[in-house]
Amino acid sequence: MKENTLIEMKNKIDAMTRVMQQVINEISHLRELGVGTLETVKLLPGYEDAIEMLKNKMEEEVEQKQKAKIDGVIKQDTK
C-alpha cells in the first residue's frame, strides 16, 4: 500500500478510537446518573409501598398469562 493510504487509515483509526472513548465515558456517566437517581428515589416517601404495588401487579400479570396459556387464550395488552 502507499504510504499516504496507510497514513489516512491510521488517522481514521485514531479518530474512531477517540469517538469510542467518548462513548465509553458517556456510558459511565449515564450509569452513575442512573444509580444516583435510583438511590434518590429510594429515599422518597412511599417508595416501599410503590414497590409492593409493582410486585403485586407483576404477580397478577404472570398469573393471568399462565391462566391464559392453560386456557389457550392469550390476551394481548394494547396499553
Side-chain angles (χ1 to χ4, degrees):
M1 283 188 185
K2 290 185 176 183
E3 183 178 355
N4 194 23
T5 304
L6 291 174
I7 291 171
E8 286 178 16
M9 289 173 64
K10 180 188 179 305
N11 290 339
K12 286 181 182 180
I13 291 171
D14 289 343
M16 286 192 288
T17 301
R18 287 191 301 275
V19 168
M20 287 307 300
Q21 186 60 51
Q22 182 64 30
V23 169
I24 291 168
N25 292 342
E26 285 292 322
I27 290 171
S28 175
H29 176 71
L30 288 173
R31 181 186 177 282
E32 291 174 16
L33 182 64
V35 169
T37 302
L38 177 61
E39 293 301 317
T40 301
V41 169
K42 285 181 180 179
L43 297 175
L44 294 175
Y47 172 80
E48 294 295 329
D49 295 333
I51 293 298
E52 284 302 315
M53 287 174 54
L54 287 172
K55 285 180 184 178
N56 293 337
K57 183 179 177 183
M58 291 303 296
E59 287 173 0
E60 289 174 9
E61 288 179 8
V62 167
E63 289 173 5
Q64 287 177 355
K65 286 181 183 180
Q66 288 176 344
K67 184 179 177 188
K69 193 174 186 180
I70 291 171
D71 294 342
V73 177
I74 297 176
K75 186 177 180 181
Q76 186 174 5
D77 186 13
T78 57
K79 291 181 185 176

